[in-house]
């Protein structure tokens, strides 16, 4: 009824996969780790099986001590009286609130740094003056002020916005949102106030016996989604670009094979790239290269990126080619990277660091761990908490620890294959690659050379048979059908590892898409960077809609999170739905226990925002559905549709 | 119908029970050399050290034969089979006529050719009488030597150690349990025993047992003397096939039977330790002295004696479960491969601490396993070996934590199927998304 | 004769049956107390998985139970009236020889202690489904929230 797999496709698919990495280099490292008797994410997943379906379907409630309650064949209500619909909606709202809070936390950190820069208290400077002045002026911060004053005032303004009340509509939304969207949101009453108080309100609504209205709870998720975009994702990208520079296309190396056994290797891991920039700058100092050589590392000291932090450095890496040596990998790979024995320092900030890294892998493989965010507390980790005015000092310390750790290395085992990829795409760089306006892209879409655009974004998961297989499978199917793919987050890393983000990948693309990409010298899958750069993708979609004079839902654009895993992704999903995007999710989110919530998310919400969610576990069928949706939108726009669902 | 059964241990007793149930009007006669109700030979060490009482050894009830209406002839040794007259002649000259005869004579201990076996204080460890002997001698014994580190030897060593005796085990091979375990598994078990205080000397054999009337010490091939007052000989067993041999039945190392457990005489069947079986795990004919096999064979033999035609298939020679001290171990099928690459055998194993699991594979099938420490689900693997199930689909998963019978739910191993109502879509992606309805929590 | 039947498609993998089984077979008859006390409570029904699909593996109380043939102590017996296969409450005692564990094709018999986890030899005994003799309906059946498990009357 509400899923795309048809009833007749009941082919029992018990071809047993062994849950292990899809990517060849990761698989090599996986075997090394297993030989060393290390338990990885795959073993932990296997040991968790089978997992309770009540939780997986969202009908397990652990909020109060009358619980845990589950909605079952026998029990249609929890002890407090909550129905399946209510429990599912409450659980979903809680996850969405947590994700929003995390993104907003990140944005607040960046805003603080921007403010400190303006006040002259930070080790950073304004790299993108135009961008800062442009955005500040939209909020009335301009005039005769100096650049520093604008920075500090805009930083302060942003922090104020984050902390503002939920009974006043957020200025960021009022000013920045496209008019058509804003009108719809106002009609639905979901223009959010300050994200922090929105999150607090959400938590209050999800209390035992407070709100029984499923629709209201889900609308609140959409409010959070909008706040998540403007006070979170958009803020993060914009301010990070102001401080670190706008992404520009550049070629680099990726995957575990790029680690250098003859160098002191520093891995920057996490989500907030500002410190990493200082580390890169410090590593340029001859002193460190000398010290690394003296310690026995013939090739000096090298910095690598990992996870989303790496993607963000990769985006601006054209400036740092002398010290930045590439992007290592995605969430699943983090343990496997350490198993090389060649990572001397792993410096990380918040989100996506497995506890096993500090408790098992780092001690075993000599890696020195340094945490730089105040939210982190882990065993065996040195805490060097980042403040905007101590970045240089911390950077020096990180390098110092790396040189020290190099001497303690044991066995080193690095697969010898290297992959390369291109990164650094964003609204601005895409426009400049197109020669200054989005018109060529619109023309390409209008002519059918590019059938449509799919944003394949988000995490990686080991659920089902995925661990990257779904991302790669779906991406290959899409580009084969002339659908341009935009990647972000761990999806980008996965595509890079699969060689889909290098210009050579046009050989995998359909004829029309391949010719467009070859003429521009870009790959058929464009990396927008980290999972927080999903906001930029939405801005690109908005720019495209503006240029065409239509609303976002009218575009032949689809978003997909083929291996979504954690709470930030839930918040991002509601952002996409609020903006009117059709969103593919896999694995199934924990809502299937409530037919009402499932129906709202997969059908009813389309009549409200224009967006909706669909769940599909098979990559090829997902591509079919995405292509069908794109063709439908093309038809509505009066564009040429040839060979609907025709495969290459 | 007159059924005569020679032997009253695992096979003999089981056959008597089965025949009673199968053919109520028949006359069943059991002839047994020993003077006890059926007792469990495997448990005598537990009696010797006091863990069990004598009555606990009777695996059927004490008055089992009487209850079944079986005529029992204890302390009676079968001397000769007159096949032409269908008569069993006993040593006490008693003659018993039969229509169907079951030979379940078992096996007897094998002794090495060394001096001093006749001294007092030297014993084998095979029967309840031996266990009495051990239990009686204990009070006077401080040190003992066990010759042979097979199951019987180690059971004896463990029992003696529990009685406070300092035990030295002398084994000719380079490991303990050489027929059942590989070197890694044997080391784990050996450490477990040594922790208790058992001393194990490997690569060593005995050349003589010394003493005047009773044992004083033993001499090893190394010319070392080990002082002891008690010696247990546990150097293996040999099948009691002579009765069959003299009657002109086909024999080799043991009595030869077809897949219906019938000997070369259609009226004579054989079961238990005295026969040779066709081992599915190795594809070779082999002797097998295990309780489990004896009982199964007796079941099949008695069915066929009563006129049935049940094939005895899926026999496996090595199938042992053991726990001496703290660590349990199971060995099943072909576990020993001289060279891992030879004959297309392949080995997969995991080993950490006291947990060791090893599977031997050949041509998509498992043919042997050793589980030490963690023996859960071992019966499932044993069934795969016994039934020669193709596991090629799951080759990489075989020793995974989550590998279980679930992967073979369509294979019922001949038993009632509790899953018969599964809809065809179970497990498919469709079912995965429809689970709410399946679970009954949809609207 | 009653046997456990499984409606597999309904199973959510919540393992309430495992908890109920542990509880029923503990001295304390309460899962939380049993976890704190000794011996460690152990389940006799197993929610295994195929890939990540749950599947309860249950004792079938076989018509021709291999565990009974394998038992060298004679304590594993099939009740001629109820058909329940059980190693408790008979004249003979379980000695922990583990032959039944090796014999059971479904892997539903387990030792009463776990070397890998405790390293201690508690009272060694093979544990298997006894169909909850103190209850009319087995604890797992009562506990199952989705009626996956059913004690069904069958003919042997």
């Amino acid at each position: 009824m509400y899923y795309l797999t048809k009833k007749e496709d009941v082919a029992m698919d018990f071809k047993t996969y062994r849950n292990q990495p899809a990517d060849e280099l990761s698989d090599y490292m996986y075997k090394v780790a297993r030989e060393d008797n290390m338990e990885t994410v795959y073993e932990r997943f296997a040991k968790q099986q089978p997992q309770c379906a009540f939780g997986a379907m969202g009908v397990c409630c652990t909020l109060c001590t009358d619980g845990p309650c589950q909605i079952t064949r026998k029990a249609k209500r929890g002890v407090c009286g909550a129905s399946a619909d209510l429990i599912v909606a409450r659980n979903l709202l809680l996850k969405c609130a947590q994700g929003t809070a995390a993104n907003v936390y990140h944005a607040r950190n960046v805003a603080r740094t921007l403010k400190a820069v303006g006040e002259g208290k930070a080790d950073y400077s304004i790299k993108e003056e135009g961008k800062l002045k442009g955005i500040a002026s939209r909020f009335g911060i301009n005039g005769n002020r100096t650049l520093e004053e604008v920075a500090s005032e805009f930083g302060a303004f942003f922090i104020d916005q984050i902390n503002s009340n939920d009974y006043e509509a957020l200025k960021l939304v009022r000013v920045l949102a496209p008019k058509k969207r804003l009108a719809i949101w106002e009609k639905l009453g979901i223009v959010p106030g300050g994200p922090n108080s929105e999150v607090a309100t959400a938590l209050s609504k999800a209390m035992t016996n407070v709100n029984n209205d499923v629709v209201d709870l889900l609308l609140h998720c959409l409010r959070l989604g909008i706040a998540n975009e403007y006070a979170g994702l958009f803020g993060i990208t914009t301010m990070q670009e102001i401080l670190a520079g706008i992404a520009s296309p550049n070629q680099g190396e990726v995957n575990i094979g790029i680690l250098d056994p003859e160098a002191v290797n520093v891995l920057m891991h996490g989500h907030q790239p500002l410190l990493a920039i200082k580390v890169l700058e410090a590593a340029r100092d001859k002193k460190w290269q000398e010290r690394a050589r003296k310690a026995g590392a013939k090739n000096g000291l090298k910095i690598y990126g990992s996870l989303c932090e790496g993607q963000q450095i990769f985006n601006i890496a054209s400036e740092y080619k002398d010290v930045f040596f590439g992007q290592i990998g995605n969430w699943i790979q983090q343990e496997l990277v350490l198993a090389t024995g060649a990572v001397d320092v792993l410096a990380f900030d918040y989100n996506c660091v497995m506890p096993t890294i500090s408790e098992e892998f780092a001690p075993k493989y000599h890696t020195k761990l340094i945490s730089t965010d105040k939210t982190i507390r882990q065993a065996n980790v040195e805490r060097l908490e980042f403040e905007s005015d101590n970045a240089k000092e911390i950077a020096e310390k990180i390098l110092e620890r790396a040189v020290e750790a190099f001497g303690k290395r044991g066995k080193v085992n690095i697969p010898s294959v290297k992959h390369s990829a291109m990164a650094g795409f964003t609204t601005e760089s895409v426009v400049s690659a197109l020669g200054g306006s989005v018109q060529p892209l619109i023309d390409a879409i209008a002519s059918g050379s590019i059938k449509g655009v799919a944003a394949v974004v988000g995490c990686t998961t080991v659920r089902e048979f995925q661990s990257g297989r779904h991302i790669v499978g779906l991406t290959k199917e899409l580009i084969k059908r002339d659908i341009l793919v935009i990647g972000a987050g761990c999806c980008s890393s996965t595509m890079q590892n699969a060689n889909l983000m290098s210009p050579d990948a046009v050989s995998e693309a359909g004829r029309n898409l391949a010719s467009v990409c070859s003429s521009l010298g870009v790959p058929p899958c464009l990396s927008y960077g980290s999972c927080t750069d999903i906001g930029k993708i939405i801005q690109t979609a908005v720019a495209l809609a503006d240029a065409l004079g239509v609303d976002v839902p009218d575009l032949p654009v689809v978003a997909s999170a083929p291996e979504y895993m954690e709470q930030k992704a839930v918040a991002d999903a509601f952002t996409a739905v609020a903006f009117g995007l059709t969103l593919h999710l896999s694995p199934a989110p924990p809502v299937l226990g409530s037919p009402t919530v499932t129906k709202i998310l997969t059908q009813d919400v389309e009549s409200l925002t224009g967006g909706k969610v669909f769940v599909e576990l098979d990559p090829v069928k997902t591509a079919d559905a995405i292509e069908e949706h794109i063709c439908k939108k093309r038809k509505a726009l009066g564009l040429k549709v040839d060979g609907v669902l025709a495969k290459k | 119908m007159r059924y005569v059964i020679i032997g009253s241990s695992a096979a003999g007793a089981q056959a008597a029970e089965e025949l009673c149930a199968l053919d109520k009007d028949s006359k069943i006669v059991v002839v047994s050399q020993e003077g006890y109700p059926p007792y469990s030979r495997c448990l005598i060490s537990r009696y010797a050290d006091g863990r069990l009482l004598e009555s606990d050894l009777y695996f059927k009830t004490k008055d089992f034969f009487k209850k079944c209406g079986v005529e029992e002839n204890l302390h009676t040794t079968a001397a000769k089979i007159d096949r032409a007259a269908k008569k069993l002649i006993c040593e006490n000259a008693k003659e018993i006529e039969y229509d169907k005869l079951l030979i379940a004579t078992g096996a007897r201990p094998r002794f090495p050719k060394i001096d001093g076996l006749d001294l007092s204080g030297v014993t084998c460890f095979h029967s309840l009488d031996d266990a009495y002997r051990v239990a009686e001698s204990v009070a006077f014994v401080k040190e003992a030597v066990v010759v042979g580190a097979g199951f019987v030897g180690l059971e004896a060593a463990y029992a003696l150690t529990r009685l406070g005796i300092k035990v030295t085990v002398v084994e000719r091979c380079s490991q303990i349990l050489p027929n059942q375990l590989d070197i890694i598994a044997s080391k784990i078990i050996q450490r477990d025993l040594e922790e208790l205080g058992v001393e194990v000397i490997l690569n060593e054999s005995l050349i003589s047992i010394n003493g005047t009337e009773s044992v004083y010490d033993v001499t090893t091939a190394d010319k070392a003397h080990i002082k002891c007052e008690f010696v247990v000989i546990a150097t293996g067993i040999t099948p009691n096939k002579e009765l069959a041999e003299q009657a002109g039945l086909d024999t080799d190392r043991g009595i030869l039977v077809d897949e219906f457990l019938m000997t070369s005489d259609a009226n004579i069947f054989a079961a238990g330790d005295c026969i040779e079986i066709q081992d599915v795990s190795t594809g070779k004919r082999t002797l097998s002295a295990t309780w489990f096999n004896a009982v199964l064979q007796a079941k099949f033999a008695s069915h066929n004696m009563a006129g049935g035609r049940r094939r005895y298939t899926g026999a496996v020679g090595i199938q042992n479960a053991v726990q001496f001290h703290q660590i349990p171990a199971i060995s099943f099928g072909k576990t020993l491969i001289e060279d891992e690459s030879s004959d297309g055998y392949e080995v997969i194993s995991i080993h950490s601490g006291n947990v060791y699991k090893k599977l031997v594979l050949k041509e998509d099938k498992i043919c042997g396993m050793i589980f030490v420490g963690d023996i859960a689900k071992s019966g499932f693997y044993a069934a795969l070996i016994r039934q020669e199930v193709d596991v090629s689909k799951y080759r990489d998963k075989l020793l995974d934590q989550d590998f279980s019978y679930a992967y073979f739910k369509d294979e019922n191993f001949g038993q009632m199927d509790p899953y018969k109502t599964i809809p065809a879509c179970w497990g498919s992606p469709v079912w995965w998304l429809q689970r709410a309805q399946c679970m009954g929590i949809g609207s | 004769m009653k046997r456990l039947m499984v409606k597999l498609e309904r199973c959510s993998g919540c393992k309430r049956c495992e908890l109920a089984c542990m509880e029923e077979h503990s001295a304390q008859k309460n899962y939380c107390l049993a976890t704190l006390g000794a011996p460690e409570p152990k389940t006799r029904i197993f929610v295994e998985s195929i890939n990540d699909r749950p599947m309860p593996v249950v004792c079938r109380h076989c018509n021709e139970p291999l565990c009974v043939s394998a038992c060298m102590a004679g304590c594993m017996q099939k009740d001629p009236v109820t058909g329940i296969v059980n190693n408790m409450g008979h004249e003979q005692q379980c000695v922990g020889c583990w032959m039944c564990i090796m014999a059971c094709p479904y892997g539903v018999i387990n030792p009463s202690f776990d070397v890998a986890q405790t390293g201690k030899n508690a009272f060694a005994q093979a544990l298997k489904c006894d169909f909850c003799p103190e209850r009319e309906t087995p604890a797992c059946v009562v506990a199952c929230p989705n009626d996956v498990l059913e004690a069904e009357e069958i003919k042997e």
Side-chain angles (χ1 to χ4, degrees), chain A residues 40-57:
Chain A
T40 69
V41 63
Y42 296 99
E43 282 68 49
R44 295 195 296 273
F45 183 79
K47 284 188 180 173
Q48 283 295 337
Q49 298 314 311
Q51 285 161 312
C52 177
F54 294 118
M57 300 199 301

Side-chain angles (χ1 to χ4, degrees), chain C residues 46-80:
Chain C
F46 303 87
V47 184
E48 300 283 359
S49 67
I50 163 160
N51 299 336
D52 42 10
R53 275 64 165 156
M55 171 166 166
V57 179
V58 300
C59 172
R60 305 172 185 220
H61 299 276
C62 305
N63 294 346
E64 294 196 4
L66 287 174
C67 54
V68 172
S69 297
C71 181
M72 57 170 74
C75 74
M76 188 71 82
Q77 295 175 13
K78 185 174 174 70
D79 190 297

Side-chain angles (χ1 to χ4, degrees), chain A residues 58 102 109 146 193 197 238 245 248 271 310 319 342 366 384 400 402 563 600 623:
Chain A
N109 286 348
T146 63
S197 53
T238 309
S248 64
H271 285 80
E319 275 185 63
H366 100 284
L384 299 173
E400 172 130 32
E563 300 201 2
I600 292 174

Side-chain angles (χ1 to χ4, degrees), chain C residues 4-23:
Chain C
L4 274 188
M5 300 301 274
V6 184
K7 292 199 171 57
L8 201 48
E9 75 280 6
R10 292 182 180 180
C11 179
S12 68
C14 70
K15 305 186 192 179
R16 281 200 199 173
C17 49
E18 291 193 359
L19 284 181
C21 183
M22 288 182 200
E23 195 164 77

Side-chain angles (χ1 to χ4, degrees), chain A residues 474-496:
Chain A
L474 173 62
T475 308
K476 281 188 176 166
E477 271 306 312
L478 290 174
I479 59 175
K480 212 191 274 178
R481 301 167 192 216
D482 293 332
I483 296 169
L484 181 72
V485 171
I486 295 177
C490 285
C491 279
S492 268
S493 287
T494 311
M495 291 179 209
Q496 286 160 354

